Each structure stands twice: as structure tokens, then as C-alpha cells.
């Protein structure tokens, strides 16, 4: 597996492994062997170990001594806790965004979302739109402790949702979620923190409900 050298080697390995775990290419309970990963990436074991330690800190893997790391399990309780905590934090950060976001930022996200509705079968485009709007919702909060926690929660929430849905979302789900995102955009245009917070909470409650209905969560 060739790597481009626009990032540090450790960062490249970390980002690649993180995305593979989020997308469930590495399944819950799967062993990620250091020597095997080093061979696949064509690197020494050092950047692999460093990446696994960072993934362990995020709760995506659990380090096993002298073996490598095991992808952490996904449970219904973990899903519930993740969504509850995310809802608390993102509802808070969205208030700052409501007060400070620009018309151009809102317009750009709205354009991205409308393009998703034009082709709801494009799961990659949907994923980018999802990340874009939720990134905006935390952009204007200065408290780095909240930002770090929310970033980690968002990553774990994506992994849980992709696992619960068993891969790409159905067209109907993408359309429903995108309309919820657009309702947040309309709220942001008012710059009213109360209205924005209400829309964000409603969206995240719906997202939690969709996830918890999955038969893959135990």
C-alpha cells in the first residue's frame, strides 16, 4: 500500500487506519497485527505502533501486549451513551455558530446539501456533506476541551451508524437526514441560538433513533 508524503508517515498511517475502522473495513473484535500492517503499508513497525496508540486513545481499538490492537466492540449501550453526550455538546456549540457564522458559510453548506438531494445514491457525497455541516456547528466554539471531545464523539458516532446500517445508507435515509440538515441551515440563517439548538437536538435525537433500531446492535 503506497503512501503519499504530504503528511508525516505516522499521520498517514493513522488517518488511513482510522477511516478503515470508521467504515468498518476492520470489524469490531478484529485483531490488527503490527507486523502485518507494517508489511501492508510498506513501513516499519514504529508508525504502526504510534497510530494504534492514537486509535486506542480515541476508543477505536484496544491495545493487546505484544500482539497489536483489537477493534473495540459496538454495543447498544455504547451507541446510546455516544449520542447522548454528542447531543449535549453539539447543542452547546451550535449556539456559538448561530451567533457567528457568515452568510457565505451557510450558503456553501446549503449548496452541498442540495447536491446530495439531486443524487441521494452517492454515499460518499452524503458523507462529505454530513461532515461539512457538523464541522460548521462546532467551528466557533473556543473551548478546546469541548472541541476535542466532540471530534472524538463524532468519529465514534459515524462508526456506530455505519455499523448499524451495515454499510452505505439507504436512499430514503440519506434524503431524510439531508432534509434535517437543511432545516438546521434554515435555522442558522436566523442567527437565533435557541432555534438552531432546537433543530440540532431534534436532528441528533432522530439520528439516535435510527441507529438504535438496528438489529446489529446488542
Amino acid at each position: 500500500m503506497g503512501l503519499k508524503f504530504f503528511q508525516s508517515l505516522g499521520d498517514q498511517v493513522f488517518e488511513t487506519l482510522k477511516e478503515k475502522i470508521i467504515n468498518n473495513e476492520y470489524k469490531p473484535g478484529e485483531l490488527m497485527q503490527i507486523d502485518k500492517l507494517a508489511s501492508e503499508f510498506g513501513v516499519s513497525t514504529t508508525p504502526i505502533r504510534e497510530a494504534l496508540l492514537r486509535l486506542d486513545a480515541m476508543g477505536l481499538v484496544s491495545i493487546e501486549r505484544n500482539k497489536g490492537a483489537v477493534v473495540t466492540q459496538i454495543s447498544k449501550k455504547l451507541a446510546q451513551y455516544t449520542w447522548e453526550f454528542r447531543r449535549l455538546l453539539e447543542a452547546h456549540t451550535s449556539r456559538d455558530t448561530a451567533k457567528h457564522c457568515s452568510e457565505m458559510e451557510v450558503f456553501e453548506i446549503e449548496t452541498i446539501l442540495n447536491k446530495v438531494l439531486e443524487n441521494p445514491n452517492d454515499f460518499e457525497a452524503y458523507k462529505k456533506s454530513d461532515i461539512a455541516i457538523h464541522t460548521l456547528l462546532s467551528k466557533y466554539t473556543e473551548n478546546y476541551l469541548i472541541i476535542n471531545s466532540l471530534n472524538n464523539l463524532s468519529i465514534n458516532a459515524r462508526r456506530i451508524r455505519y455499523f448499524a446500517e451495515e454499510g452505505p445508507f439507504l436512499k430514503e435515509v440519506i434524503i431524510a437526514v439531508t432534509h434535517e440538515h437543511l432545516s438546521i441551515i434554515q435555522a442558522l440563517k436566523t442567527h437565533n441560538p435557541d432555534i438552531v439548538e432546537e433543530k440540532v437536538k431534534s436532528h441528533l435525537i432522530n439520528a439516535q433513533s435510527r441507529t438504535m433500531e438496528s438489529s446489529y446492535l446488542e
Side-chain angles (χ1 to χ4, degrees):
M1 182 184 299
L3 294 176
K4 297 179 181 179
F5 289 89
F6 57 89
Q7 292 178 308
S8 73
L9 200 56
D11 285 343
Q12 291 177 64
V13 171
F14 167 73
E15 289 295 336
T16 301
L17 292 178
K18 183 185 73 175
E19 288 303 313
K20 285 181 176 291
I21 293 172
I22 290 172
N23 292 319
N24 292 284
E25 293 178 47
Y26 290 115
K27 304 292 185 184
E30 184 171 344
L31 177 64
M32 302 172 69
Q33 296 177 308
I34 292 174
D35 291 340
K36 183 179 178 182
L37 290 172
S39 177
E40 289 179 1
F41 280 91
V43 299
S44 70
T45 59
T46 299
I48 300 296
R49 293 179 189 278
E50 292 173 351
L52 292 178
L53 286 172
R54 292 170 69 181
L55 294 168
D56 177 70
M58 297 177 71
L60 295 177
V61 304
S62 178
I63 301 293
E64 290 208 351
R65 189 184 179 105
N66 299 324
K67 288 185 178 181
V70 175
V71 181
T72 52
Q73 296 290 345
I74 294 175
S75 66
K76 184 165 285 191
K77 182 170 286 189
L78 174 63
Q80 178 184 343
Y81 291 168
T82 298
W83 286 111
E84 286 178 354
F85 194 18
R86 184 182 177 188
R87 188 165 65 248
L88 288 172
L89 294 186
E90 198 159 9
H92 174 79
T93 64
S94 70
R95 298 182 66 85
D96 293 325
T97 296
K99 289 181 281 189
H100 300 294
C101 66
S102 69
E103 291 183 7
M104 181 57 69
E105 286 176 312
V106 174
F107 174 75
E108 288 175 352
I109 301 296
E110 186 175 31
T111 300
I112 292 171
L113 293 172
N114 283 324
K115 286 182 178 178
V116 171
L117 289 180
E118 291 173 7
N119 185 14
N121 291 312
D122 188 342
F123 187 52
E124 290 304 314
Y126 160 77
K127 287 198 292 185
K128 290 177 182 177
S129 74
D130 183 56
I131 292 172
I133 187 169
H134 287 285
T135 298
L136 177 60
L137 290 173
S138 63
K139 179 179 179 179
Y140 288 96
T141 297
E142 295 182 358
N143 188 324
Y144 66 90
L145 294 176
I146 291 178
I147 294 302
N148 289 341
S149 295
L150 185 54
N151 286 341
N152 190 43
L153 284 168
S154 297
I155 287 169
N156 279 278
R158 284 170 56 204
R159 177 188 172 222
I160 292 169
R161 286 188 65 203
Y162 299 163
F163 175 81
E165 298 281 347
E166 197 186 23
F169 296 171
L170 295 174
K171 174 182 176 180
E172 292 77 12
V173 174
I174 290 178
I175 292 173
V177 174
T178 303
H179 278 300
E180 290 174 14
H181 285 163
L182 283 168
S183 72
I184 294 173
I185 289 297
Q186 293 305 314
L188 285 172
K189 291 179 181 180
T190 70
H191 295 284
N192 184 317
D194 293 334
I195 296 175
V196 173
E197 180 180 2
E198 179 184 353
K199 291 297 182 180
V200 170
K201 282 183 175 179
S202 175
H203 165 57
L204 293 176
I205 287 171
N206 289 339
Q208 179 178 347
S209 296
R210 285 188 286 263
T211 301
M212 301 301 282
E213 288 173 358
S214 171
S215 60
Y216 294 96
L217 293 177
E218 297 179 357

